[in-house]
Amino acid sequence: MEQATGATVTTIHVHPTKGEPGLELSRVEVGPEGLHGDRPKKAAVMVLSADDTTGARANLVVTLPPQALSAAVGGVLRVGSVELEVTGPAGSCPGVYAAVRRPGTVSVGDPAVVVERVAGAADTADVSSGTGEPA
């Protein structure tokens, strides 16, 4: 059940050292533990909407609206050749945490597409626009 969104990856960051600024990349390999060069943390990947400008230390920033990322919890987000299982909200930060379901490569400009969603309300909502209108 692929949801066409037109959304893309705008920014990629790794945070190799706690408390120091992250490194911005144009392309990164993503393995089972997360982005190559990133330090281990609460989740393999943190994804943030480009609409959230709070300065959260996300690994991937995408043009999906915040509501679309929230609706993807329990589902799968494909970014580049990588599939991420969206596991939950990122605690007190905006965005979501994700586990790596299929490793691969992500580049700035790659599509960001919700390819599977949990059954229920999110199945009937248009998560690409974040409006909640029927798809």
Side-chain angles (χ1 to χ4, degrees):
M1 169 182 288
E2 188 163 320
Q3 179 74 33
T5 64
T8 61
V9 176
T10 62
T11 311
I12 301 169
H13 283 111
V14 294
H15 305 277
T17 306
K18 186 173 183 165
E20 292 189 15
L23 303 173
E24 188 167 337
L25 306 172
S26 60
R27 178 182 170 104
V28 70
E29 291 294 321
V30 181
E33 301 299 316
L35 281 67
H36 179 72
D38 202 24
R39 75 178 190 287
K41 49 195 178 314
K42 294 179 185 176
V45 181
M46 182 184 174
V47 184
L48 180 69
S49 169
D51 292 347
D52 284 324
T53 57
T54 60
R57 295 173 61 90
N59 296 117
L60 302 175
V61 179
V62 298
T63 58
L64 286 167
Q67 302 89 338
L69 280 178
S70 294
V73 171
V76 175
L77 178 67
R78 183 184 304 139
V79 287
S81 64
V82 175
E83 285 189 0
L84 301 173
E85 184 176 335
V86 183
T87 56
S92 61
C93 300
V96 294
Y97 287 141
V100 179
R101 180 170 157 175
R102 184 176 71 197
T105 303
V106 176
S107 298
V108 169
D110 280 349
V113 181
V114 177
V115 293
E116 291 180 28
R117 292 174 285 164
V118 292
D123 260 350
T124 59
D126 180 355
V127 297
S128 66
S129 67
T131 64
E133 297 298 317

